[in-house]
Amino acid sequence: MTKHKKNKMKYILKSLIVALLTSLSISANAQNYYNVLNYGAKNDSSKLATTAIKNAIDAAVKKGGGTVYFPAGKYLTGPIHLKSNITILIDAGAELHFSDDFDQYLPMVKSRYEGVDVTSFSPLFYAYKAENIAIKGRGIIDGHGKKWWDFVEGYKEGQTRSKWQLKFDELNKDILLPDDPKQMKRGFLRPPFIQFMYSKNIQIEGITIRNSPFWTVNPEFCENVKIHAVTIFNPHKNAPNTDGINPESCKNVHISDCHISVGDDCITVKSGKDGPGRKMAVPAENYTITNCTMLSGHGGVVIGSEMSGDVRKITISNCVFDGTDRGIRIKSARGRGGIVEEIRVSNIVMKNIRDQAIVLDLQYAKTNFEPVSERTPRFRNIHFSNITGQVNQAAYLNGLEEMPIENITFSDINLDAKSGFNISSANRIEFHNVQINTEIGASIIASKVNNLTIDNVKSYTPLAISPILDLKNVNDAFIYNSNPFTGTATYLRLSGTDTKNISLGNNNFRNAKVPVKKEADVKEEVTVISGDK
């Protein structure tokens, strides 16, 4: 045999081996796909597919795991319970429609509802102590939440309790209740759409979700959660508590490239409520939220108010909020306890914000003063930078008399707002390169603030009847690098008997008719360090 023929034979043999191996590989991969149609599901929604889907999952579990596949078509189903090593793949053109028959979501399972551990209706997608689970694809899942919403909205206290409420009462006799137990005592708790509990290595990717009965994506006590390129649509009106993505008491969460328009908050970080949350004491930590757009919703990204187990190490970046009621909102109240800290917010664009761009509120629920204890919440070490937008109010920061908000910074902020920053009961607040153009009132109003730094803050819409800075009962403030715009009537107004230790340096006040106005109740003189003109 010639050398040429030998090389040709080697080439043919090699090609046959590659083809055989490829065929075996494809065959092996195909065996890992479990098409629900092969287990009795109908893709014309003519038959409830709950049992067929369960059988497909069970078949995959017996083989150590696999992908449960939904080809194009419409499927009607009850709850889907995932096990370890299971991927749900919903192909383009496939739609999963979840039944609105409440009985389908029995028996009740271990769940968490607004930060309280309960036994209640099964979530639509549910997993408990599973790992390596996923929901993926370009298809649609629809929760048909209207019947759930209508039941809750139409319920009146004192009316005859339904069989579901009686079952809830029976299963939740000894639960630890929050300070305000009204929801729990009502005993009809709508299920979250996707709730994985005590699970790890989770992916939710690509799918479109709509009409959730309650919170939409709600992992609880989970670790290593990735939510990527998910679209969520819930009605803006008459769809109560239909938050978008609410990872609660989780660790290592990555939310990216999502598009959300819902009837409550778009993305919310939580860690349990009041006594129940403090007892579990599992923080929300190590979250990244990036490259997302938020439209309708009460808040773009919200932390709390259920934050009793602590929230820490959270970054929010490169997001657009267009039409939400608020942009970034961090909220709590006496009774919660817990700490929110180490938060970074950067590169945010806001448009058509109905209320505030930024909220830090420790009096979300009105309560009376009480001594500092485990019930006292705390906000500290929170930093905002590179934010631009058109909003109703720039920011609202409201601490507690017994626990001021602490170490908050604002850098490179540019906002057009009807009203500016309003800050009370806070320590160590800093502004650097901040422009706030208001229609009414001062750009910054501060009351009961200690250690205030204001560096290059201005407004290009100065008002004849309002100062740019209005400080009342402020202690230890340093104001520098100010360069008021032409037409500024008063740059700085000081008032309050507790106002003291106010220092100015390196300011250009040539365009301000009155650089500093000191009311009669301010006893100390303002210290000019150098460079003021």
Side-chain angles (χ1 to χ4, degrees):
M1 185 180 293
T2 65
K3 184 177 181 180
H4 174 73
K5 288 184 177 180
K6 286 183 179 180
N7 288 338
K8 187 175 180 180
M9 288 296 294
K10 286 181 180 179
Y11 174 79
I12 293 171
L13 183 60
K14 183 178 180 181
S15 298
L16 288 172
I17 292 171
V18 169
L20 178 60
L21 291 174
T22 301
S23 175
L24 291 172
S25 176
I26 291 172
S27 177
N29 288 334
Q31 290 174 5
N32 290 330
Y33 275 72
Y34 298 82
N35 188 325
V36 294
L37 298 178
N38 296 334
Y39 293 85
K42 300 294 184 183
N43 62 352
D44 59 2
S45 67
S46 62
K47 177 183 176 183
L48 199 65
T50 314
T51 300
I53 297 167
K54 181 181 181 301
N55 290 341
I57 291 172
D58 289 345
V61 169
K62 288 180 181 178
K63 297 292 186 179
T67 298
V68 175
Y69 175 62
F70 291 82
K74 291 186 177 181
Y75 303 83
L76 177 64
T77 183
I80 298 173
H81 289 200
L82 275 67
K83 305 295 183 181
S84 292
N85 305 317
I86 293 297
T87 292
I88 300 292
L89 178 56
I90 305 166
D91 211 345
E95 298 181 10
L96 272 62
H97 291 264
F98 283 81
S99 170
D100 63 4
D101 176 0
F102 302 160
D103 287 334
Q104 294 294 322
Y105 301 88
L106 301 175
M108 292 186 172
V109 299
K110 292 181 180 180
S111 182
R112 205 185 207 194
Y113 186 93
E114 292 189 345
V116 180
D117 298 279
V118 295
T119 300
S120 189
F121 285 116
S122 170
L124 282 57
F125 277 102
Y126 181 68
Y128 190 84
K129 294 185 178 179
E131 60 183 68
N132 306 326
I133 55 178
I135 304 173
K136 295 183 176 183
R138 301 298 297 167
I140 295 171
I141 58 176
D142 192 318
H144 290 271
K146 188 176 187 307
K147 187 176 176 181
W148 297 96
W149 309 328
D150 290 348
F151 188 97
V152 170
E153 294 290 275
Y155 179 77
K156 305 296 182 184
E157 295 294 339
Q159 75 183 46
T160 301
R161 294 181 72 74
S162 66
K163 62 181 180 180
W164 307 293
Q165 290 163 309
L166 293 174
K167 175 58 67 173
F168 180 88
D169 295 345
E170 177 187 337
L171 296 174
N172 293 278
K173 292 178 180 178
D174 300 318
I175 64 170
L176 183 60
L177 294 173
D179 289 355
D180 180 3
K182 181 172 63 176
Q183 286 271 35
M184 302 300 135
K185 288 186 175 180
R186 182 176 291 178
F188 185 89
L189 308 183
R190 291 161 290 151
F193 203 134
I194 300 172
Q195 188 179 70
F196 299 151
M197 300 194 65
Y198 300 100
S199 298
K200 61 182 180 180
N201 301 335
I202 294 165
Q203 289 190 14
I204 302 171
E205 187 168 355
I207 58 173
T208 294
I209 311 172
R210 63 192 188 195
N211 298 319
S212 176
F214 181 58
W215 292 354
T216 305
V217 179
N218 180 216
E220 299 272 0
F221 307 108
C222 292
E223 185 173 349
N224 191 18
V225 178
K226 178 181 178 181
I227 303 167
H228 174 69
V230 169
T231 299
I232 300 175
F233 289 123
N234 295 323
H236 182 47
K237 296 181 179 180
N238 303 317
N241 314 112
T242 52
D243 299 39
I245 301 173
N246 290 18
E248 187 167 6
S249 295
C250 294
K251 184 176 182 179
N252 303 331
V253 175
H254 313 272
I255 301 171
S256 62
D257 300 283
C258 293
H259 180 66
I260 304 171
S261 182
V262 293
D264 207 315
D265 295 324
C266 294
I267 295 176
T268 303
V269 179
K270 299 177 181 288
S271 66
K273 185 176 184 179
D274 299 341
R278 294 196 299 273
K279 179 183 177 182
M280 296 301 289
V282 179
E285 60 182 342
N286 300 350
Y287 288 27
T288 62
I289 300 168
T290 190
N291 298 345
C292 295
T293 55
M294 289 78 157
L295 302 182
S296 294
H298 291 179
V301 177
V302 177
I303 298 175
S305 68
E306 300 91 336
M307 40 65 68
S308 303
D310 296 343
V311 176
R312 54 180 178 250
K313 293 177 283 185
I314 310 292
T315 68
I316 304 161
S317 64
N318 303 329
C319 292
V320 175
F321 308 144
D322 188 354
T324 59
D325 293 349
R326 300 165 190 86
I328 303 294
R329 188 182 192 190
I330 305 176
K331 56 184 180 177
S332 188
R334 293 182 179 99
R336 293 283 191 270
I339 301 173
V340 175
E341 62 182 349
E342 300 171 44
I343 313 296
R344 285 275 178 180
V345 181
S346 62
N347 297 341
I348 306 294
V349 175
M350 303 189 194
K351 184 80 172 179
N352 303 315
I353 305 301
R354 193 189 74 173
D355 296 317
Q356 299 89 5
I358 297 166
V359 177
L360 277 67
D361 190 3
L362 280 171
Q363 299 188 56
Y364 170 64
K366 299 305 177 185
T367 53
N368 296 321
F369 173 88
E370 59 183 66
V372 174
S373 70
E374 66 172 6
R375 291 171 45 83
T376 308
R378 179 178 295 182
F379 294 169
R380 65 188 183 193
N381 306 336
I382 302 170
H383 308 286
F384 300 87
S385 63
N386 298 305
I387 297 174
T388 185
Q390 293 77 45
V391 303
N392 185 51
Q393 183 179 19
Y396 178 69
L397 279 65
N398 185 29
L400 296 173
E401 181 182 351
E402 68 274 22
M403 185 59 68
I405 295 168
E406 187 171 58
N407 190 20
I408 314 297
T409 65
F410 302 92
S411 303
D412 300 308
I413 310 292
N414 191 313
L415 295 173
D416 294 327
K418 186 174 182 180
S419 59
F421 279 73
N422 193 321
I423 306 169
S424 62
S425 298
N427 297 334
R428 297 168 56 196
I429 308 298
E430 296 193 12
F431 292 85
H432 299 278
N433 300 323
V434 173
Q435 177 185 312
I436 310 139
N437 302 315
T438 62
E439 297 179 20
I440 58 172
S443 294
I444 297 175
I445 299 172
S447 174
K448 299 179 182 177
V449 175
N450 296 318
N451 297 298
L452 175 64
T453 298
I454 296 180
D455 163 25
N456 188 24
V457 170
K458 69 174 62 178
S459 169
Y460 284 104
T461 60
L463 305 171
I465 60 174
S466 300
I468 304 301
L469 309 178
D470 195 347
L471 312 185
K472 182 177 182 179
N473 294 321
V474 170
N475 181 30
D476 284 320
F478 183 32
I479 301 161
Y480 64 101
N481 290 339
S482 302
N483 184 23
F485 188 61
T486 302
T488 299
T490 302
Y491 185 75
L492 170 63
R493 176 178 179 265
L494 300 172
S495 65
T497 56
D498 291 330
T499 292
K500 57 186 178 180
N501 300 330
I502 309 299
S503 300
L504 303 176
N506 197 38
N507 298 293
N508 178 7
F509 286 139
R510 283 178 293 190
N511 291 326
K513 293 180 181 179
V514 179
V516 181
K517 181 179 181 180
K518 186 161 71 78
E519 301 294 350
D521 55 356
V522 178
K523 304 306 180 185
E524 289 196 4
E525 293 298 321
V526 175
T527 300
V528 177
I529 298 174
S530 65
D532 287 355
K533 301 175 182 179

